[in-house]
Amino acid sequence: MNRSRWAAWFRLLAGLGILVALVWHLGSDAFLDGLRRIDAATLLAALAIGLLTTVFSAWRWCLVARGLGLRLSLGGAVADYYRSLFLNAALPGGVLGDVHRAVRHGRHSGDLGRGVRAVVLERTAGQVVLLVAGAVVLLARPSPVLAPVTRFLTSPAVALTAAAVGVLLVAVAGLLRHRRGASRAESALRTVLTEARQGLLARGVWPGVLLSSVAVLAGYLGMFVLAARVAGATAPSAELVPLVVLALLAMALPLNVGGWGPREGVAAWAFGAAGLGAAQGLTTAVIYGVLAFVASLPGAGVLLVRRSAGRRTERPQFEFEERVLAEQGASQRRA
């Protein structure tokens, strides 16, 4: 078994381990209660929020792809993004849908490498906005729950590390710009830095990328607050948002099963530390997971429609090839 497969199994088992530990300590009632509380109005609200976040995410992808010189229509991007969200939610790992989206677009555009890098840059932009917004929320809303996290983010060690990484990136970019005869690795790094500047920081790209990322983050926050209300949380939204941000940050950890695992663990800890009850935090995260899956269900429709269309396209081609082979066989027999 190669290293990548070992890493995939480790991520899967880690996510399962977190869920098992939560059930062991809090019982299964928090999971079952979350499922019982979801009604039709909540599901419709989840679909509406999902439509908002998916359209803005697809627009961000279009901006990045076009910045890299790739063609990508908004309608096609929305359909592909819905499908990737569904695959991310339905399959272990939480990233297989993005991989499929990147490879498919790269092949259709005729540049597989650039298509993959466009998706990586698009996802990176969303994560950066989440991290920045999370840091701002943690600094603006201090509380006993967030005090350890705030102290860590504002510690001199983190500041020095961030400054050192920034200086290193600038130095490497300057070195690669003025150096000739670079190795293959240096050329690849130079390409990545150039495409990051074109796909994210270009004058006609970055405002839209920033706006779409903020809109997507607002949708995620709204979905989580909706889940908290359905779970019975009565705390003010201003008190819930920092807890929600921590749960969203936990979702970025590659230790999950279709998105489940760290999100539930952090939500249970944060709600418990805030005095809202660990069980309520777990129920909130469970409801959010269900609503996020429901919001991705249009992607299943996209998957089925495109597979059906592909079969209808392949059948005439198969019949044509059969006729050609039959005619060739007949001509050879006559000869």
Side-chain angles (χ1 to χ4, degrees), residues 145-146 242-243 246-247 265-276:
V145 179
L146 307 178
L243 311 180
L246 286 176
V266 171
W269 165 77
F271 275 67
L276 302 179

Side-chain angles (χ1 to χ4, degrees), residues 51-308:
L51 176 62
L52 171 71
T53 57
T54 303
V55 170
F56 274 103
S57 297
W59 179 42
R60 180 176 62 196
W61 182 26
C62 288
L63 292 172
V64 174
R66 293 167 186 171
L68 297 183
L70 301 176
R71 289 185 177 182
L72 182 61
S73 65
L74 181 59
V78 171
D80 285 348
Y81 219 103
Y82 258 124
R83 181 179 54 192
S84 72
L85 289 174
F86 174 73
L87 293 176
N88 283 345
L91 299 176
V95 296
L96 296 179
D98 290 323
V99 173
H100 184 269
R101 171 166 61 99
V103 172
R104 184 179 186 277
H105 178 234
R107 287 176 176 173
H108 278 241
S109 62
D111 193 333
L112 178 59
R114 190 171 294 183
V116 171
R117 291 191 291 273
V119 171
V120 172
L121 289 174
E122 181 265 323
R123 295 294 294 164
T124 301
Q127 294 299 322
V128 169
V129 170
L130 172 60
L131 290 173
V132 173
V136 171
V137 170
L138 296 180
L139 292 173
R141 295 286 303 178
S143 69
V145 179
L146 307 178
V149 182
T150 304
R151 285 197 301 268
F152 172 75
L153 292 177
T154 58
S155 64
V158 173
L160 290 175
T161 301
V165 171
V167 171
L168 180 60
L169 290 177
V170 172
V172 170
L175 179 63
L176 294 180
R177 177 177 295 181
H178 295 94
R179 181 175 177 178
R180 296 180 180 180
S183 66
R184 182 176 298 181
E186 292 172 336
S187 299
L189 181 58
R190 181 185 299 171
T191 299
V192 170
L193 293 175
T194 301
E195 291 185 343
R197 185 173 64 252
Q198 294 172 345
L200 295 178
L201 303 177
R203 181 177 300 178
V205 175
W206 74 262
V209 170
L210 178 60
L211 175 61
S212 59
S213 299
V214 171
V216 171
L217 178 57
Y220 290 159
L221 292 174
M223 183 88 80
F224 230 121
V225 171
L226 171 65
R229 297 305 184 202
V230 174
T234 57
S237 298
E239 184 178 343
L240 290 175
V241 166
L243 311 180
V244 168
V245 167
L246 286 176
L248 291 176
L249 289 173
M251 290 176 60
L253 297 175
L255 304 172
N256 60 76
V257 183
W260 297 76
R263 175 184 64 209
E264 285 69 30
V266 171
W269 165 77
F271 275 67
L276 302 179
Q280 188 173 83
L282 178 56
T283 301
T284 297
V286 169
I287 294 174
Y288 177 87
V290 174
L291 296 184
F293 180 76
V294 170
S296 72
L297 284 180
V302 173
L303 197 64
L304 293 175
V305 168
R306 288 189 171 176
R307 178 170 294 183
S308 176

Side-chain angles (χ1 to χ4, degrees), residues 316-329:
Q317 179 66 22
F318 176 72
E319 293 175 350
F320 172 75
E321 291 175 353
E322 280 189 329
R323 288 198 303 271
V324 171
L325 291 174
E327 292 173 358
Q328 289 179 350

